[in-house]
């Protein structure tokens, strides 16, 4: 019961659909119904009957027709999809623990994004705030457009000085 075929296996299997749902909620908030992800914990065996652990991430793109490998998307699209998955895993982890996470941290994920994807990224972060019941999201950026869209800005100078202002 305590091995990979028991409780542990069921927990991992159960995570896939929940993380997929969370990631899709984040992607939909940012980009509408274009992207969908699905984490499949099992795959059919090709050489014999039965199933094997997989945990494959399958990405669907309604704009370009069907399932595509994550590596076939542009750098910005890959970043957004990857960030949706990472954020979904963070929210899922927070849901599983008895300790309430109040802050979600993100570090310099915006550099490969064009202006359209940056706007979607900010929308996605705001949706993550709601989905994860976080008090705040702190993200590091060197992009002035993203910084100016924040509710508050903490600037760290090269000399170690720190300034703070609320928008």
């Amino acid at each position: 019961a305590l091995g990979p075929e028991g409780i542990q296996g069921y927990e991992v299997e159960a995570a896939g659909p929940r993380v997929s749902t969370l990631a899709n909620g984040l992607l939909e908030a940012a980009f509408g119904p274009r992207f969908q992800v699905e984490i499949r914990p099992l795959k059919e065996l090709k050489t014999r009957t039965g199933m094997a652990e997989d945990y494959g991430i399958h990405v669907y793109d309604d704009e370009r027709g069907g399932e595509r490998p994550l590596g076939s998307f542009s750098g910005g699209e890959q970043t957004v999809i990857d960030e949706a998955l990472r954020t979904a895993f963070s929210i899922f982890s927070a849901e599983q623990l008895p300790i309430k996470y109040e802050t979600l941290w993100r570090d310099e994920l915006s550099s490969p994004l064009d202006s359209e994807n940056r706007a979607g990224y900010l929308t996605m972060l705001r949706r993550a705030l709601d989905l994860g019941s976080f008090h705040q999201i702190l993200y590091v950026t060197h992009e002035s457009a993203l910084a100016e869209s924040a509710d508050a800005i903490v600037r760290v100078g090269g000399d170690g000085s720190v300034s703070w202002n609320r928008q």
Side-chain angles (χ1 to χ4, degrees), residues 44-58:
E44 286 190 41
L45 295 172
K46 292 183 180 182
T47 57
R48 54 183 203 266
T49 59
M51 304 293 277
E53 290 181 351
D54 178 30
Y55 308 108
I57 297 172
H58 302 266

Side-chain angles (χ1 to χ4, degrees), residues 50-145:
M51 304 293 277
E53 290 181 351
D54 178 30
Y55 308 108
I57 297 172
H58 302 266
V59 183
Y60 302 90
D61 182 351
D62 284 346
E63 189 174 288
R64 294 192 190 134
E67 184 176 349
R68 296 176 44 208
L70 184 57
S72 71
F73 290 90
S74 73
E77 292 167 338
Q78 286 181 40
T79 297
V80 166
I81 293 166
D82 185 60
E83 178 62 6
L85 287 163
R86 290 174 188 267
T87 303
F89 275 111
S90 296
I91 293 168
F92 178 79
S93 294
E95 290 174 346
Q96 303 307 305
L97 297 174
I99 301 168
K100 171 104 172 79
Y101 290 169
E102 292 189 3
T103 302
L104 178 64
W105 293 85
R106 290 291 174 257
D107 185 18
E108 303 220 41
L109 296 164
S110 59
S111 51
L113 302 179
D114 60 20
S115 60
E116 181 182 333
N117 284 333
R118 281 187 193 123
Y121 177 69
L122 285 175
T123 302
M124 189 166 60
L125 287 180
R126 293 203 184 277
R127 181 69 179 130
L129 193 67
D130 293 334
L131 284 174
S133 300
F134 298 110
H135 175 70
Q136 61 193 357
I137 296 177
L138 299 178
Y139 62 92
V140 176
T141 185
H142 292 207
E143 305 290 330
S144 59

Side-chain angles (χ1 to χ4, degrees), residues 5-22:
E5 304 290 324
I7 295 170
Q8 175 183 336
Y10 288 120
E11 285 291 320
V12 172
E13 272 185 51
R18 178 65 181 143
V19 172
S20 298
T21 298
L22 290 166

